[in-house]
Short mmCIF file of all heavy atoms in Angstrom, two decimals:
data_model
loop_
_atom_site.label_atom_id
_atom_site.label_comp_id
_atom_site.label_asym_id
_atom_site.label_seq_id
_atom_site.Cartn_x
_atom_site.Cartn_y
_atom_site.Cartn_z
N ALA V 1 -37.72 -11.72 2.66
CA ALA V 1 -38.88 -11.55 3.51
C ALA V 1 -39.84 -12.72 3.31
O ALA V 1 -39.99 -13.23 2.20
CB ALA V 1 -39.57 -10.24 3.19
N LYS V 2 -40.48 -13.11 4.38
CA LYS V 2 -41.48 -14.16 4.29
C LYS V 2 -42.75 -13.61 3.64
O LYS V 2 -42.93 -12.40 3.53
CB LYS V 2 -41.79 -14.71 5.68
CG LYS V 2 -40.62 -15.43 6.30
CD LYS V 2 -41.01 -16.00 7.65
CE LYS V 2 -39.82 -16.69 8.28
NZ LYS V 2 -40.14 -17.23 9.59
N ARG V 3 -43.61 -14.51 3.26
CA ARG V 3 -44.83 -14.09 2.59
C ARG V 3 -45.72 -13.23 3.48
O ARG V 3 -46.42 -12.35 3.02
CB ARG V 3 -45.58 -15.33 2.14
CG ARG V 3 -46.47 -15.09 0.96
CD ARG V 3 -46.99 -16.37 0.41
NE ARG V 3 -48.11 -16.81 1.23
CZ ARG V 3 -48.79 -17.92 1.04
NH1 ARG V 3 -48.44 -18.73 0.08
NH2 ARG V 3 -49.80 -18.24 1.81
N THR V 4 -45.66 -13.47 4.78
CA THR V 4 -46.51 -12.72 5.71
C THR V 4 -45.89 -11.39 6.13
O THR V 4 -46.56 -10.58 6.74
CB THR V 4 -46.79 -13.56 6.96
OG1 THR V 4 -45.55 -13.91 7.57
CG2 THR V 4 -47.57 -14.81 6.61
N GLU V 5 -44.62 -11.18 5.80
CA GLU V 5 -43.94 -9.94 6.18
C GLU V 5 -44.00 -8.93 5.04
O GLU V 5 -44.11 -9.28 3.87
CB GLU V 5 -42.47 -10.22 6.52
CG GLU V 5 -42.28 -11.10 7.73
CD GLU V 5 -40.81 -11.43 7.96
OE1 GLU V 5 -39.97 -11.03 7.13
OE2 GLU V 5 -40.53 -12.09 8.95
N ALA V 6 -43.89 -7.69 5.41
CA ALA V 6 -43.86 -6.62 4.40
C ALA V 6 -42.52 -6.66 3.68
O ALA V 6 -41.49 -6.95 4.29
CB ALA V 6 -44.07 -5.28 5.07
N PRO V 7 -42.48 -6.38 2.39
CA PRO V 7 -41.20 -6.37 1.67
C PRO V 7 -40.29 -5.26 2.20
O PRO V 7 -40.76 -4.19 2.58
CB PRO V 7 -41.60 -6.13 0.23
CG PRO V 7 -42.97 -5.58 0.27
CD PRO V 7 -43.61 -6.06 1.54
N VAL V 8 -39.01 -5.53 2.21
CA VAL V 8 -38.03 -4.57 2.69
C VAL V 8 -37.55 -3.74 1.50
O VAL V 8 -37.14 -4.29 0.47
CB VAL V 8 -36.83 -5.30 3.35
CG1 VAL V 8 -35.79 -4.30 3.81
CG2 VAL V 8 -37.31 -6.15 4.50
N ALA V 9 -37.62 -2.46 1.64
CA ALA V 9 -37.18 -1.57 0.57
C ALA V 9 -35.68 -1.33 0.71
O ALA V 9 -35.22 -0.77 1.70
CB ALA V 9 -37.94 -0.26 0.63
N CYS V 10 -34.91 -1.80 -0.26
CA CYS V 10 -33.46 -1.60 -0.27
C CYS V 10 -33.06 -0.98 -1.59
O CYS V 10 -33.56 -1.38 -2.64
CB CYS V 10 -32.73 -2.93 -0.11
SG CYS V 10 -32.87 -3.64 1.51
N PRO V 11 -32.14 -0.05 -1.55
CA PRO V 11 -31.66 0.52 -2.80
C PRO V 11 -30.89 -0.53 -3.61
O PRO V 11 -30.29 -1.44 -3.05
CB PRO V 11 -30.74 1.65 -2.37
CG PRO V 11 -30.70 1.64 -0.89
CD PRO V 11 -31.59 0.58 -0.38
N PRO V 12 -30.89 -0.41 -4.94
CA PRO V 12 -30.23 -1.41 -5.78
C PRO V 12 -28.72 -1.52 -5.55
O PRO V 12 -28.14 -2.58 -5.75
CB PRO V 12 -30.52 -0.96 -7.20
CG PRO V 12 -31.43 0.19 -7.13
CD PRO V 12 -31.59 0.58 -5.71
N TRP V 13 -28.06 -0.44 -5.12
CA TRP V 13 -26.61 -0.50 -4.94
C TRP V 13 -26.22 -1.48 -3.84
O TRP V 13 -25.12 -2.01 -3.84
CB TRP V 13 -26.03 0.88 -4.68
CG TRP V 13 -26.50 1.54 -3.42
CD1 TRP V 13 -27.57 2.36 -3.29
CD2 TRP V 13 -25.95 1.41 -2.12
NE1 TRP V 13 -27.72 2.76 -1.99
CE2 TRP V 13 -26.73 2.20 -1.24
CE3 TRP V 13 -24.87 0.73 -1.59
CZ2 TRP V 13 -26.46 2.30 0.12
CZ3 TRP V 13 -24.60 0.83 -0.24
CH2 TRP V 13 -25.39 1.61 0.59
N ILE V 14 -27.12 -1.74 -2.90
CA ILE V 14 -26.82 -2.70 -1.83
C ILE V 14 -26.62 -4.10 -2.43
O ILE V 14 -25.69 -4.81 -2.08
CB ILE V 14 -27.92 -2.71 -0.76
CG1 ILE V 14 -27.84 -1.42 0.05
CG2 ILE V 14 -27.81 -3.92 0.15
CD1 ILE V 14 -28.91 -1.29 1.11
N TYR V 15 -27.50 -4.49 -3.34
CA TYR V 15 -27.39 -5.81 -3.94
C TYR V 15 -26.16 -5.91 -4.83
O TYR V 15 -25.53 -6.96 -4.90
CB TYR V 15 -28.66 -6.15 -4.72
CG TYR V 15 -29.82 -6.39 -3.81
CD1 TYR V 15 -30.81 -5.44 -3.66
CD2 TYR V 15 -29.88 -7.55 -3.04
CE1 TYR V 15 -31.86 -5.65 -2.79
CE2 TYR V 15 -30.93 -7.76 -2.16
CZ TYR V 15 -31.91 -6.82 -2.05
OH TYR V 15 -32.94 -7.02 -1.18
N HIS V 16 -25.80 -4.83 -5.50
CA HIS V 16 -24.60 -4.83 -6.33
C HIS V 16 -23.36 -5.06 -5.46
O HIS V 16 -22.51 -5.88 -5.78
CB HIS V 16 -24.48 -3.50 -7.08
CG HIS V 16 -23.26 -3.39 -7.91
ND1 HIS V 16 -23.08 -4.13 -9.07
CD2 HIS V 16 -22.13 -2.65 -7.77
CE1 HIS V 16 -21.91 -3.83 -9.59
NE2 HIS V 16 -21.32 -2.93 -8.81
N ASN V 17 -23.26 -4.34 -4.35
CA ASN V 17 -22.11 -4.51 -3.46
C ASN V 17 -22.15 -5.84 -2.73
O ASN V 17 -21.11 -6.42 -2.45
CB ASN V 17 -22.05 -3.35 -2.45
CG ASN V 17 -21.68 -2.05 -3.13
OD1 ASN V 17 -21.00 -2.04 -4.14
ND2 ASN V 17 -22.16 -0.96 -2.59
N ARG V 18 -23.33 -6.35 -2.43
CA ARG V 18 -23.45 -7.66 -1.77
C ARG V 18 -22.86 -8.75 -2.66
O ARG V 18 -22.15 -9.63 -2.20
CB ARG V 18 -24.92 -7.94 -1.47
CG ARG V 18 -25.14 -9.28 -0.84
CD ARG V 18 -26.62 -9.45 -0.49
NE ARG V 18 -26.84 -10.82 -0.08
CZ ARG V 18 -27.72 -11.62 -0.63
NH1 ARG V 18 -28.48 -11.20 -1.60
NH2 ARG V 18 -27.85 -12.85 -0.22
N SER V 19 -23.14 -8.65 -3.94
CA SER V 19 -22.60 -9.62 -4.89
C SER V 19 -21.08 -9.56 -4.91
O SER V 19 -20.40 -10.59 -4.93
CB SER V 19 -23.15 -9.35 -6.29
OG SER V 19 -22.53 -10.18 -7.22
N ARG V 20 -20.53 -8.36 -4.90
CA ARG V 20 -19.06 -8.22 -4.88
C ARG V 20 -18.45 -8.83 -3.63
O ARG V 20 -17.42 -9.50 -3.69
CB ARG V 20 -18.68 -6.75 -4.97
CG ARG V 20 -18.84 -6.15 -6.31
CD ARG V 20 -18.35 -4.73 -6.30
NE ARG V 20 -18.30 -4.20 -7.65
CZ ARG V 20 -17.84 -3.02 -7.94
NH1 ARG V 20 -17.42 -2.22 -6.98
NH2 ARG V 20 -17.83 -2.61 -9.18
N VAL V 21 -19.08 -8.59 -2.49
CA VAL V 21 -18.56 -9.12 -1.22
C VAL V 21 -18.63 -10.64 -1.22
O VAL V 21 -17.68 -11.31 -0.80
CB VAL V 21 -19.34 -8.52 -0.03
CG1 VAL V 21 -19.00 -9.23 1.25
CG2 VAL V 21 -19.04 -7.03 0.09
N GLU V 22 -19.73 -11.21 -1.71
CA GLU V 22 -19.86 -12.66 -1.75
C GLU V 22 -18.82 -13.28 -2.68
O GLU V 22 -18.25 -14.33 -2.37
CB GLU V 22 -21.27 -13.06 -2.18
CG GLU V 22 -22.28 -12.83 -1.10
CD GLU V 22 -23.69 -13.19 -1.53
OE1 GLU V 22 -23.87 -13.66 -2.67
OE2 GLU V 22 -24.60 -13.01 -0.71
N CYS V 23 -18.56 -12.65 -3.81
CA CYS V 23 -17.53 -13.16 -4.72
C CYS V 23 -16.14 -13.07 -4.10
O CYS V 23 -15.31 -13.97 -4.26
CB CYS V 23 -17.56 -12.39 -6.05
SG CYS V 23 -19.01 -12.75 -7.04
N LEU V 24 -15.87 -11.99 -3.37
CA LEU V 24 -14.59 -11.85 -2.68
C LEU V 24 -14.41 -12.95 -1.65
O LEU V 24 -13.36 -13.58 -1.58
CB LEU V 24 -14.48 -10.48 -2.01
CG LEU V 24 -13.23 -10.27 -1.15
CD1 LEU V 24 -11.98 -10.34 -2.00
CD2 LEU V 24 -13.32 -8.98 -0.39
N TRP V 25 -15.44 -13.23 -0.83
CA TRP V 25 -15.35 -14.29 0.17
C TRP V 25 -15.12 -15.64 -0.48
O TRP V 25 -14.39 -16.48 0.03
CB TRP V 25 -16.60 -14.34 1.05
CG TRP V 25 -16.49 -13.48 2.24
CD1 TRP V 25 -17.19 -12.36 2.51
CD2 TRP V 25 -15.58 -13.64 3.35
NE1 TRP V 25 -16.80 -11.83 3.70
CE2 TRP V 25 -15.81 -12.58 4.24
CE3 TRP V 25 -14.60 -14.57 3.66
CZ2 TRP V 25 -15.11 -12.44 5.42
CZ3 TRP V 25 -13.88 -14.42 4.84
CH2 TRP V 25 -14.14 -13.37 5.71
N ALA V 26 -15.75 -15.87 -1.62
CA ALA V 26 -15.56 -17.13 -2.33
C ALA V 26 -14.10 -17.29 -2.76
O ALA V 26 -13.53 -18.37 -2.63
CB ALA V 26 -16.48 -17.20 -3.55
N ARG V 27 -13.49 -16.20 -3.24
CA ARG V 27 -12.09 -16.28 -3.64
C ARG V 27 -11.17 -16.42 -2.43
O ARG V 27 -10.17 -17.15 -2.47
CB ARG V 27 -11.70 -15.04 -4.45
CG ARG V 27 -12.31 -15.02 -5.82
CD ARG V 27 -11.70 -13.94 -6.71
NE ARG V 27 -11.65 -12.62 -6.11
CZ ARG V 27 -12.61 -11.70 -6.23
NH1 ARG V 27 -13.70 -11.98 -6.90
NH2 ARG V 27 -12.47 -10.51 -5.68
N LEU V 28 -11.51 -15.73 -1.32
CA LEU V 28 -10.66 -15.81 -0.14
C LEU V 28 -10.74 -17.18 0.52
O LEU V 28 -9.78 -17.64 1.13
CB LEU V 28 -11.06 -14.73 0.86
CG LEU V 28 -10.73 -13.30 0.46
CD1 LEU V 28 -11.22 -12.34 1.53
CD2 LEU V 28 -9.25 -13.10 0.22
N LYS V 29 -11.87 -17.85 0.40
CA LYS V 29 -12.01 -19.17 1.01
C LYS V 29 -11.19 -20.23 0.30
O LYS V 29 -11.07 -21.35 0.78
CB LYS V 29 -13.48 -19.59 1.06
CG LYS V 29 -14.22 -18.87 2.16
CD LYS V 29 -15.62 -19.40 2.30
CE LYS V 29 -16.31 -18.75 3.47
NZ LYS V 29 -17.65 -19.31 3.67
N GLU V 30 -10.59 -19.90 -0.84
CA GLU V 30 -9.66 -20.82 -1.48
C GLU V 30 -8.39 -20.95 -0.66
O GLU V 30 -7.67 -21.94 -0.78
CB GLU V 30 -9.33 -20.35 -2.90
CG GLU V 30 -10.52 -20.42 -3.84
CD GLU V 30 -10.22 -19.85 -5.20
OE1 GLU V 30 -9.07 -19.44 -5.45
OE2 GLU V 30 -11.14 -19.81 -6.03
N TRP V 31 -8.11 -19.98 0.18
CA TRP V 31 -6.99 -20.06 1.11
C TRP V 31 -7.40 -20.94 2.28
O TRP V 31 -8.42 -20.70 2.92
CB TRP V 31 -6.64 -18.67 1.64
CG TRP V 31 -5.91 -17.81 0.67
CD1 TRP V 31 -6.35 -17.37 -0.53
CD2 TRP V 31 -4.60 -17.29 0.84
NE1 TRP V 31 -5.41 -16.60 -1.12
CE2 TRP V 31 -4.31 -16.54 -0.30
CE3 TRP V 31 -3.65 -17.40 1.84
CZ2 TRP V 31 -3.11 -15.89 -0.46
CZ3 TRP V 31 -2.45 -16.73 1.68
CH2 TRP V 31 -2.19 -16.00 0.53
N ARG V 32 -6.63 -21.95 2.56
CA ARG V 32 -6.98 -22.89 3.62
C ARG V 32 -7.09 -22.21 4.98
O ARG V 32 -8.00 -22.49 5.76
CB ARG V 32 -5.92 -24.00 3.68
CG ARG V 32 -6.21 -25.03 4.72
CD ARG V 32 -5.20 -26.17 4.63
NE ARG V 32 -5.49 -27.14 5.66
CZ ARG V 32 -4.73 -27.32 6.73
NH1 ARG V 32 -3.64 -26.61 6.90
NH2 ARG V 32 -5.04 -28.23 7.62
N ALA V 33 -6.18 -21.30 5.29
CA ALA V 33 -6.20 -20.63 6.59
C ALA V 33 -7.44 -19.77 6.76
O ALA V 33 -7.94 -19.63 7.88
CB ALA V 33 -4.94 -19.79 6.76
N VAL V 34 -7.95 -19.21 5.69
CA VAL V 34 -9.15 -18.38 5.78
C VAL V 34 -10.38 -19.26 5.89
O VAL V 34 -11.27 -19.02 6.70
CB VAL V 34 -9.26 -17.43 4.56
CG1 VAL V 34 -10.57 -16.67 4.58
CG2 VAL V 34 -8.08 -16.46 4.54
N ALA V 35 -10.44 -20.30 5.09
CA ALA V 35 -11.63 -21.16 5.05
C ALA V 35 -11.84 -21.92 6.35
O ALA V 35 -12.97 -22.12 6.78
CB ALA V 35 -11.53 -22.14 3.88
N THR V 36 -10.76 -22.34 6.99
CA THR V 36 -10.89 -23.17 8.19
C THR V 36 -10.69 -22.38 9.48
O THR V 36 -10.74 -22.97 10.55
CB THR V 36 -9.86 -24.32 8.16
OG1 THR V 36 -8.55 -23.75 8.11
CG2 THR V 36 -10.09 -25.23 6.97
N HIS V 37 -10.47 -21.08 9.38
CA HIS V 37 -10.19 -20.25 10.56
C HIS V 37 -9.04 -20.88 11.37
O HIS V 37 -9.13 -21.05 12.58
CB HIS V 37 -11.43 -20.07 11.44
CG HIS V 37 -12.51 -19.30 10.77
ND1 HIS V 37 -12.58 -17.95 10.86
CD2 HIS V 37 -13.54 -19.69 10.00
CE1 HIS V 37 -13.62 -17.53 10.18
NE2 HIS V 37 -14.22 -18.57 9.64
N TYR V 38 -7.97 -21.22 10.66
CA TYR V 38 -6.84 -21.92 11.26
C TYR V 38 -6.15 -21.08 12.33
O TYR V 38 -5.67 -21.61 13.32
CB TYR V 38 -5.84 -22.29 10.16
CG TYR V 38 -4.69 -23.12 10.62
CD1 TYR V 38 -4.86 -24.46 10.95
CD2 TYR V 38 -3.42 -22.57 10.74
CE1 TYR V 38 -3.80 -25.23 11.38
CE2 TYR V 38 -2.35 -23.33 11.17
CZ TYR V 38 -2.55 -24.66 11.49
OH TYR V 38 -1.50 -25.42 11.91
N GLU V 39 -6.13 -19.78 12.14
CA GLU V 39 -5.47 -18.90 13.10
C GLU V 39 -6.30 -18.85 14.39
O GLU V 39 -7.51 -18.82 14.36
CB GLU V 39 -5.31 -17.50 12.53
CG GLU V 39 -4.53 -17.46 11.24
CD GLU V 39 -3.11 -17.95 11.39
OE1 GLU V 39 -2.49 -17.68 12.43
OE2 GLU V 39 -2.63 -18.61 10.46
N LYS V 40 -5.62 -18.83 15.52
CA LYS V 40 -6.31 -18.92 16.81
C LYS V 40 -6.80 -17.56 17.33
O LYS V 40 -7.82 -17.48 17.96
CB LYS V 40 -5.40 -19.56 17.86
CG LYS V 40 -4.98 -20.97 17.51
CD LYS V 40 -6.17 -21.90 17.44
CE LYS V 40 -5.74 -23.30 17.09
NZ LYS V 40 -6.79 -24.13 16.60
N THR V 41 -6.05 -16.52 17.06
CA THR V 41 -6.45 -15.22 17.58
C THR V 41 -7.06 -14.36 16.47
O THR V 41 -6.80 -14.58 15.29
CB THR V 41 -5.24 -14.47 18.17
OG1 THR V 41 -4.30 -14.20 17.12
CG2 THR V 41 -4.57 -15.27 19.26
N ALA V 42 -7.87 -13.41 16.86
CA ALA V 42 -8.51 -12.52 15.89
C ALA V 42 -7.47 -11.70 15.14
O ALA V 42 -7.61 -11.46 13.93
CB ALA V 42 -9.51 -11.61 16.59
N CYS V 43 -6.42 -11.30 15.82
CA CYS V 43 -5.37 -10.50 15.19
C CYS V 43 -4.65 -11.31 14.11
O CYS V 43 -4.40 -10.82 13.01
CB CYS V 43 -4.39 -10.01 16.26
SG CYS V 43 -3.14 -8.89 15.62
N SER V 44 -4.32 -12.55 14.41
CA SER V 44 -3.66 -13.41 13.43
C SER V 44 -4.56 -13.70 12.24
O SER V 44 -4.12 -13.69 11.09
CB SER V 44 -3.26 -14.74 14.08
OG SER V 44 -2.33 -14.53 15.10
N PHE V 45 -5.84 -13.96 12.52
CA PHE V 45 -6.78 -14.23 11.43
C PHE V 45 -6.93 -13.00 10.54
O PHE V 45 -6.97 -13.12 9.31
CB PHE V 45 -8.14 -14.65 11.99
CG PHE V 45 -9.15 -14.95 10.92
CD1 PHE V 45 -9.02 -16.08 10.14
CD2 PHE V 45 -10.21 -14.09 10.70
CE1 PHE V 45 -9.95 -16.36 9.15
CE2 PHE V 45 -11.14 -14.37 9.72
CZ PHE V 45 -11.00 -15.51 8.94
N MET V 46 -6.99 -11.82 11.12
CA MET V 46 -7.12 -10.60 10.34
C MET V 46 -5.88 -10.38 9.48
O MET V 46 -5.97 -9.92 8.34
CB MET V 46 -7.34 -9.39 11.25
CG MET V 46 -7.61 -8.14 10.49
SD MET V 46 -9.02 -8.29 9.41
CE MET V 46 -10.11 -7.14 10.12
N GLY V 47 -4.71 -10.74 10.00
CA GLY V 47 -3.48 -10.62 9.22
C GLY V 47 -3.50 -11.53 8.00
O GLY V 47 -3.15 -11.10 6.88
N VAL V 48 -3.93 -12.77 8.18
CA VAL V 48 -4.02 -13.71 7.06
C VAL V 48 -5.08 -13.23 6.08
O VAL V 48 -4.89 -13.30 4.86
CB VAL V 48 -4.34 -15.14 7.57
CG1 VAL V 48 -4.68 -16.06 6.42
CG2 VAL V 48 -3.16 -15.69 8.35
N LEU V 49 -6.18 -12.73 6.59
CA LEU V 49 -7.26 -12.24 5.74
C LEU V 49 -6.79 -11.05 4.90
O LEU V 49 -7.05 -10.99 3.69
CB LEU V 49 -8.45 -11.85 6.60
CG LEU V 49 -9.75 -11.58 5.91
CD1 LEU V 49 -10.24 -12.80 5.16
CD2 LEU V 49 -10.79 -11.15 6.92
N CYS V 50 -6.08 -10.13 5.51
CA CYS V 50 -5.56 -8.96 4.78
C CYS V 50 -4.53 -9.38 3.73
O CYS V 50 -4.52 -8.84 2.62
CB CYS V 50 -4.94 -7.96 5.75
SG CYS V 50 -6.16 -7.09 6.74
N MET V 51 -3.67 -10.33 4.09
CA MET V 51 -2.67 -10.81 3.14
C MET V 51 -3.35 -11.48 1.94
O MET V 51 -3.00 -11.22 0.79
CB MET V 51 -1.73 -11.80 3.81
CG MET V 51 -0.63 -12.29 2.90
SD MET V 51 0.54 -13.38 3.71
CE MET V 51 -0.51 -14.75 4.15
N ALA V 52 -4.35 -12.31 2.20
CA ALA V 52 -5.05 -12.99 1.12
C ALA V 52 -5.79 -11.99 0.23
O ALA V 52 -5.78 -12.11 -0.99
CB ALA V 52 -6.02 -14.02 1.68
N ALA V 53 -6.42 -10.99 0.83
CA ALA V 53 -7.14 -9.98 0.07
C ALA V 53 -6.18 -9.14 -0.77
O ALA V 53 -6.48 -8.80 -1.91
CB ALA V 53 -7.95 -9.08 1.00
N THR V 54 -5.01 -8.83 -0.21
CA THR V 54 -4.01 -8.06 -0.96
C THR V 54 -3.50 -8.84 -2.16
O THR V 54 -3.40 -8.30 -3.26
CB THR V 54 -2.84 -7.67 -0.03
OG1 THR V 54 -3.35 -6.95 1.07
CG2 THR V 54 -1.81 -6.85 -0.78
N ILE V 55 -3.20 -10.10 -1.96
CA ILE V 55 -2.72 -10.93 -3.07
C ILE V 55 -3.81 -11.09 -4.12
O ILE V 55 -3.53 -11.06 -5.32
CB ILE V 55 -2.20 -12.28 -2.54
CG1 ILE V 55 -0.91 -12.03 -1.74
CG2 ILE V 55 -1.95 -13.25 -3.68
CD1 ILE V 55 -0.37 -13.24 -1.03
N ASP V 56 -5.06 -11.23 -3.69
CA ASP V 56 -6.16 -11.33 -4.64
C ASP V 56 -6.30 -10.02 -5.43
O ASP V 56 -6.56 -10.04 -6.62
CB ASP V 56 -7.47 -11.64 -3.90
CG ASP V 56 -8.64 -11.78 -4.84
OD1 ASP V 56 -8.64 -12.75 -5.63
OD2 ASP V 56 -9.54 -10.92 -4.81
N TRP V 57 -6.12 -8.90 -4.77
CA TRP V 57 -6.23 -7.59 -5.41
C TRP V 57 -5.10 -7.41 -6.44
O TRP V 57 -5.31 -6.86 -7.51
CB TRP V 57 -6.19 -6.50 -4.36
CG TRP V 57 -6.31 -5.13 -4.92
CD1 TRP V 57 -7.42 -4.55 -5.46
CD2 TRP V 57 -5.27 -4.14 -4.98
NE1 TRP V 57 -7.13 -3.27 -5.87
CE2 TRP V 57 -5.83 -3.00 -5.58
CE3 TRP V 57 -3.95 -4.13 -4.58
CZ2 TRP V 57 -5.07 -1.85 -5.79
CZ3 TRP V 57 -3.21 -2.99 -4.79
CH2 TRP V 57 -3.78 -1.87 -5.39
N ILE V 58 -3.90 -7.88 -6.10
CA ILE V 58 -2.75 -7.75 -7.01
C ILE V 58 -2.96 -8.58 -8.27
O ILE V 58 -2.61 -8.15 -9.36
CB ILE V 58 -1.44 -8.15 -6.29
CG1 ILE V 58 -1.10 -7.09 -5.24
CG2 ILE V 58 -0.30 -8.32 -7.28
CD1 ILE V 58 0.07 -7.45 -4.36
N LYS V 59 -3.56 -9.76 -8.10
CA LYS V 59 -3.81 -10.63 -9.27
C LYS V 59 -4.74 -9.90 -10.21
O LYS V 59 -4.79 -9.90 -11.31
CB LYS V 59 -4.45 -11.94 -8.86
CG LYS V 59 -3.50 -12.88 -8.22
CD LYS V 59 -4.23 -14.18 -7.94
CE LYS V 59 -3.36 -15.16 -7.22
NZ LYS V 59 -4.06 -16.40 -6.93
#
């Protein structure tokens, strides 16, 4: 929030999960196809994204 705006009240669990999501994206961007959006269609990109996330989860 800017100095002139009122602070936004957010529960602490949001920031905890935000950190997890940001770390996941950082790991997924190590895959060239994910980082550069190499796939042309949304369906193909989602397939690569799911495959990368699954392999990351297995590790």
Side-chain angles (χ1 to χ4, degrees):
K2 294 182 181 178
R3 206 170 80 181
T4 58
E5 296 176 356
V8 179
C10 289
W13 63 269
I14 288 178
Y15 290 105
H16 178 71
N17 290 331
R18 178 177 171 236
S19 174
R20 285 184 171 184
V21 170
E22 286 178 2
C23 290
L24 174 64
W25 270 113
R27 289 192 310 269
L28 290 178
K29 284 186 176 183
E30 293 176 3
W31 284 63
R32 181 174 179 251
V34 174
T36 60
H37 294 271
Y38 185 73
E39 302 298 323
K40 299 297 180 198
T41 64
C43 185
S44 297
F45 181 71
M46 186 57 116
V48 170
L49 192 61
C50 288
M51 182 177 64
T54 303
I55 291 173
D56 182 66
W57 180 72
I58 290 173
K59 285 183 183 179

